[in-house]
Structures are given as C-alpha cells and as structure tokens.
Amino acid sequence: IMSRDPDRQTAEIQIRIAIMNRCSALGRAEIEAVQ
C-alpha cells in the first residue's frame, strides 16, 4: 500500500480487491467454458 493517508489506503485496497475479483471471475468463466 503506497499511500499513507488512511482514506487513500482503503480506496487502494478496494481497487485491488475489485481487480482480484475480476481476474478470478475471468478464470472461472474460462474453466466453465472448457468443461
């Protein structure tokens, strides 16, 4: 986490969670498509 401001830290964490959720959703979609 780069920012020292607590509000910015929470925003960064939320962005990272959103990116991870998107990546895992894409991974699940690929697995389902293969089956």
Side-chain angles (χ1 to χ4, degrees):
I1 298 167
M2 307 293 284
S3 324
R4 294 188 181 184
D5 182 23
D7 291 334
R8 289 185 184 176
Q9 283 182 359
T10 53
E12 280 184 27
I13 291 167
Q14 288 173 348
I15 291 166
R16 289 181 188 189
I17 290 170
I19 291 168
M20 288 174 67
N21 286 342
R22 237 181 243 171
C23 290
S24 63
L26 287 171
R28 282 191 217 123
E30 286 176 15
I31 291 166
E32 289 173 8
V34 169
Q35 290 177 352

